[in-house]
Amino acid sequence: MATCGELLVQLLEAYGVELVFGIPGVHTVELYRGLPKTRIRHITPRHEQGAGFMADGYARVTGKPGVCFIITGPGMTNILTAMGQAYGDSIPMLVISSVNPRDQLGMAEGRLHELPNQRNVVAGVSAFSHTLMEPSQLPEVLARAFAIFAGARPRPVHIEIPIDVIAEPVDAAIMKPRNLPAPPAAPAAEIERAAGWLKAAKKPLLILGGGAVKGAAEALALAEHLDAPVIHTVNAKGILPPGHPLRAGENMAYPPIHAAIRSADVVLSVGNEFGETELWPDYKPLVFPDKFIRIDIDPEQLVRGFSAALPILADARSALADLARALGVSKKKIKTATDSPGAKRAAAIRNATEKYWMPTVAVHRPIALAVQKALPDAIFVGDSAEPVYALNQCLEPSRPRSYFNSSTGYGTLGYGMPAGIGAKLAAPDRPVVVLVGDGGLQFTIGELAAGVEAKTGIIILLWNNEGYGEIKNYMIERQIRPIGVDIYTPDFQVIAKGFGCGAVRVESYEQLHRELIAANKRNIPTIVEIRADAAFLRR
Ligand SMILES: Cc1ncc(C[n+]2csc(CCOP(=O)(O)OP(=O)(O)O)c2C)c(N)n1
Ligand SMILES: [Mg+2]
């Protein structure tokens, strides 16, 4: 006999969990009793929001759920924002918290950490939130969470365990992982119909969203076989390797992409919600051809927004593989020539789109290219700051799962640096570059201590314009006197050193190159600060 808490960590390990992000409290210590008997590594953030962002960054790089151990009450309200970001971008996350004992639930007696109804608070940012009332029900409830991660639209899941339940002894023999279902495949008739349309298409177009990343190789092979231009969202970046001739661009708000969608004869969209942040800043309805196919794992998503003639409910990877078989896509890699009809169409869309890029691209693109030159396989983890909006339009990461930020979906400031720590823990051998502003960094700056402690050599490329620049500009454009945006900016060089991090302010591209390479060799975070008024940016 062991306690429910001890067996829980063993079960998590059996499901492949390697890392847990958490801040222990008197209500969760029983979750920690069993940890030393597992190989699971515990990472301690400095705030529960940091735990959630780290888990999110880890999940986006690995495709596996990020797992958090959180105390009842304030711990849970602290992590809600991070769960909101993960919910908005369909990221798998498992949040296990304590809650007051069974006989106190709903009593509102003013107990320590007590919320009147914690589950209700969390329900809005999770696929489900469950209170474990019986320790023996743990394997079933945990299996439900992993079944969602394996076979449905990934979203955060919350399981709260009353503190008397965590400490109860259970029969270890029943604590076994369950066999998980494979994600759903598309009905054969629908694949056949879609393949028929695509085979006959003269001007096919693919639109790939974050959900397509699961089938990245299949999506690329299909695009090449069809010789179809590809539009991808921020979260689908990297499915096409950099410089691929079929890359047509990303921002669906831009007129050339509107026109390309309207003039295609078959459009196939995979794992994409056509969210507002993909159509920013000018949310005009897209016009689709009659033969509009959508593949998504979420049935509701298939009928939201733009209505498809052929909605296919399926896992992206299996549906793309089935389509490939139906179309006779060769297993051998095709090399798309730059003068194929699809490549020519893609180039025309791409070139026309570049004219609509934000003016700030001229500043931030050369910086990003310098990063990619110094650290070719870098993972870019962004906050919601000027460099991020600019690079969303143009940066081509080396591979999938290597470019994401919080400017999409929920749009949470403070995400970038802790999510970067999570990304680095997921891929310790790859450079991780955090794109963050001076405002966003201050939201979660305490996590620098967690980054040092966890020995993560992330590179924080700090864009310092001394304020909430984006919002200031927005106010000025609307003739509102800027208030609350010219914030006091601390000396990040001194702060970084206080945390035990590396820090440098760069004044030239040569110095940037050197410092990036040096920072990437450290096992502590380094702030590489670029001041928005630096002279080298204006050359
Ligand atoms: C939690 C949260 N609060 C407020 C905002 C609104 N907001 C969006 S961008 C921004 C300014 C961010 O400043 P900074 O990180 O310095 O980036 P900059 O725009 O200056 O490059 C603000 C306040 C937000 N997105 N998230
Ligand atoms: Mg700023």
Side-chain angles (χ1 to χ4, degrees):
M1 288 289 214
T3 67
C4 175
E6 281 178 272
L7 293 169
L8 168 70
V9 287
Q10 286 178 25
L11 257 183
L12 289 176
E13 189 173 40
Y15 278 114
V17 173
E18 326 159 292
L19 283 177
V20 160
F21 303 90
I23 300 180
V26 291
H27 284 177
T28 54
V29 288
E30 288 299 331
L31 288 175
Y32 287 76
R33 192 184 291 281
L35 265 187
K37 286 188 219 130
T38 69
R39 286 184 308 274
I40 297 176
R41 180 177 173 198
H42 185 269
I43 304 290
T44 315
R46 295 301 180 266
H47 186 289
E48 286 82 0
Q49 198 181 106
F53 290 148
M54 289 177 197
D56 175 309
Y58 169 85
R60 292 193 203 224
V61 172
T62 57
K64 295 178 10 175
V67 181
C68 302
F69 284 175
I70 304 294
I71 65 154
T72 181
M76 278 313 299
T77 44
N78 277 349
I79 201 176
L80 282 183
T81 300
M83 293 177 76
Q85 183 69 40
Y87 189 93
D89 284 342
S90 306
I91 303 304
M93 182 184 289
L94 177 60
V95 178
I96 295 179
S97 81
S98 50
V99 71
N100 300 76
R102 279 171 290 191
D103 62 354
Q104 291 173 14
L105 287 179
M107 297 304 285
E109 289 168 327
R111 302 280 180 167
L112 176 67
H113 301 330
E114 186 179 13
L115 273 171
N117 186 338
Q118 179 168 273
R119 209 170 68 194
N120 269 9
V121 173
V122 189
V125 286
S126 51
F128 72 81
S129 172
H130 183 95
T131 311
L132 189 76
M133 296 300 277
E134 269 297 322
S136 61
Q137 291 168 343
L138 180 65
E140 181 173 331
V141 176
L142 211 55
R144 281 169 52 206
F146 282 94
I148 286 182
F149 305 142
R153 180 177 190 162
R155 294 235 137 123
V157 166
H158 173 227
I159 299 172
E160 57 175 23
I161 312 182
I163 47 181
D164 56 326
V165 176
I166 301 183
E168 247 180 50
V170 213
D171 179 4
I174 63 159
M175 290 288 169
K176 296 260 176 333
R178 299 196 170 191
N179 298 325
L180 300 175
E190 291 177 10
I191 290 293
E192 230 166 86
R193 197 157 160 233
W197 287 2
L198 288 166
K199 200 177 269 172
K202 299 254 171 331
K203 290 175 79 181
L205 183 78
L206 301 194
I207 306 179
L208 304 178
V213 167
K214 260 185 98 179
E218 291 79 2
L220 175 62
L222 183 69
E224 289 174 340
H225 175 86
L226 294 171
D227 191 35
V230 176
I231 292 161
H232 51 78
T233 69
V234 167
N235 285 319
K237 273 184 191 274
I239 292 180
L240 297 190
H244 196 282
L246 289 172
R247 174 173 172 268
E250 31 264 285
N251 192 318
M252 284 183 270
Y254 291 157
I257 295 193
H258 268 253
I261 292 172
R262 205 170 40 233
S263 64
D265 54 0
V266 181
V267 171
L268 169 64
S269 167
V270 185
N272 172 23
E273 66 177 358
F274 295 99
E276 184 181 19
T277 45
E278 302 295 345
L279 296 157
W280 194 263
D282 197 8
Y283 197 116
K284 282 205 205 79
L286 299 166
V287 180
F288 289 88
D290 290 343
K291 295 196 169 104
F292 175 27
I293 310 161
R294 266 180 99 166
I295 297 173
D296 207 287
I297 201 161
D298 179 354
E300 290 181 72
Q301 194 58 58
L302 284 168
V303 294
R304 276 199 194 104
F306 307 110
S307 176
L310 182 47
I312 301 179
L313 179 65
D315 170 67
R317 183 165 180 206
S318 84
L320 287 165
D322 287 348
L323 266 179
R325 265 189 296 275
L327 286 162
V329 175
S330 142
K331 288 252 175 344
K332 277 198 267 120
K333 231 190 111 32
I334 315 176
K335 189 162 163 23
T336 307
T338 47
D339 62 352
S340 75
K344 280 195 196 148
R345 277 170 62 218
I349 303 166
R350 205 167 56 226
N351 295 337
T353 304
E354 285 178 14
K355 298 193 191 83
Y356 291 87
W357 279 354
M358 313 163 78
T360 47
V361 169
V363 177
H364 295 290
R365 193 166 186 236
I367 298 173
L369 291 174
V371 173
Q372 287 183 303
K373 189 163 166 230
L375 309 168
D377 195 24
I379 300 175
F380 290 85
V381 184
D383 208 74
S384 187
E386 283 177 350
V388 171
Y389 315 132
L391 297 176
N392 281 353
Q393 315 200 323
C394 59
L395 189 136
E396 297 177 71
S398 55
R399 34 176 158 156
R401 302 189 178 282
S402 304
Y403 184 94
F404 50 86
N405 55 67
S406 63
S407 77
T408 58
Y410 205 48
T412 317
L413 278 186
Y415 169 89
M417 189 259 285
I421 293 173
K424 187 72 184 176
L425 290 165
D429 299 332
R430 292 181 64 193
V432 171
V433 176
V434 173
L435 305 167
V436 63
D438 53 296
L441 185 57
Q442 290 183 67
F443 273 59
T444 46
I445 197 154
E447 302 306 348
L448 283 176
V452 171
E453 190 172 274
K455 297 193 169 54
T456 49
I458 56 168
I459 300 167
I460 300 158
L461 197 61
L462 168 63
W463 176 249
N464 189 351
N465 56 11
E466 297 200 342
Y468 298 139
E470 182 66 18
I471 307 303
K472 181 175 180 176
N473 294 339
Y474 204 76
M475 286 173 142
I476 293 170
E477 275 167 29
R478 279 154 192 76
Q479 282 100 42
I480 298 168
R481 184 151 59 97
I483 295 174
V485 286
D486 287 313
I487 53 171
Y488 166 75
T489 304
D491 184 336
F492 291 103
Q493 297 294 310
V494 176
I495 289 181
K497 291 196 178 108
F499 273 107
C501 297
V504 64
R505 189 178 291 148
V506 295
E507 306 289 355
S508 71
Y509 279 113
E510 297 73 40
Q511 192 195 0
L512 175 63
H513 185 86
R514 271 198 316 276
E515 293 295 347
L516 288 168
I517 288 172
N520 192 45
K521 292 192 181 127
R522 297 188 190 114
N523 65 353
I524 46 165
T526 300
I527 293 187
V528 177
E529 181 176 1
I530 300 183
R531 293 197 49 103
D533 58 6
F536 79 101
L537 299 177
R538 289 194 299 276
R539 262 189 280 127

